[in-house]
Amino acid sequence: MKLLVINGPNLNFLGIREKSIYGNQDFKYLLSLLSEKAEKENITIDTFQSNGEGEIIDRIQKAYFDGTQGIIINPGAFTHYGYAVRDALASVDMPIIEVHISNVHKREEFRNVSVTAPACTGQIVGLGLYGYILAVDGVINLLRQS
Ligand code: DQA
């Protein structure tokens, strides 16, 4: 099984940015959690991070061709206005879970709306980095059912 975890803008700044919201652990730690999870489940988890919307769209399109079976995505702020990311997600027919480290529903009003979520199978918010691990479990479960 081959999954892809995409992180959008500023997520490479975990451990530096707004620690009271996103925690003290850095991006490298998140990548280590995902690689441990891949080993435990005996699956491949590719990871990709970009601050650019076009690069994220290119990676989603690449996933269509490279054998990726499911996507976990934290689109960062693109969540709230990234119609082109939403269209890219809607183009690939596979389980997709949107993850947010923080509870976007408890924060500023502009974060309450996700334009990308309607192109996803499900969404996990507010559970910190553990949300990514739950999302991997969710995608594995969806793929085993299909
Ligand atoms: C975020 C929430 C977004 O509103 C914000 O722009 C981010 C991170 C989260 O993981 O909680 O960059 O996606």
Side-chain angles (χ1 to χ4, degrees):
M1 192 180 287
K2 179 167 148 136
L3 309 186
L4 169 65
V5 176
I6 299 176
N7 277 291
N10 299 305
L11 287 155
N12 55 319
F13 251 46
L14 285 178
I16 300 171
R17 70 183 294 210
E18 299 179 279
K19 291 185 200 176
S20 60
I21 298 172
Y22 300 113
N24 293 314
Q25 305 288 6
D26 63 9
F27 186 62
K28 235 171 104 185
Y29 177 75
L30 171 59
L31 296 182
S32 76
L33 284 184
L34 290 167
S35 103
E36 252 172 51
K37 180 69 176 167
E39 206 171 307
K40 184 170 164 221
E41 301 294 339
N42 200 22
I43 61 173
T44 299
I45 301 180
D46 292 333
T47 57
F48 179 78
Q49 191 278 329
S50 178
N51 294 322
E53 191 170 9
E55 285 77 8
I56 291 170
I57 293 163
D58 288 344
R59 187 62 190 90
I60 293 167
Q61 290 184 358
K62 184 176 167 221
Y64 177 78
F65 296 106
D66 75 1
T68 297
Q69 293 165 279
I71 296 176
I72 289 116
I73 182 162
N74 182 345
F78 293 143
T79 304
H80 314 300
Y81 66 95
Y83 296 106
V85 173
R86 174 210 174 113
D87 285 350
L89 292 170
S91 305
V92 294
D93 186 20
M94 61 180 85
I96 302 172
I97 305 210
E98 178 171 305
V99 172
H100 296 288
I101 296 165
S102 65
N103 183 348
V104 284
H105 303 290
K106 260 178 37 179
R107 300 180 60 195
E108 301 96 323
E109 212 176 325
F110 77 90
R111 296 188 205 274
N112 300 166
V113 174
S114 170
V115 302
T116 45
C120 298
T121 318
Q123 192 192 42
I124 294 171
V125 307
L127 300 180
L129 301 186
Y130 184 54
Y132 288 86
I133 302 303
L134 290 175
V136 170
D137 280 333
V139 172
I140 291 174
N141 191 53
L142 287 164
L143 289 170
R144 292 202 175 129
Q145 274 171 17
S146 63

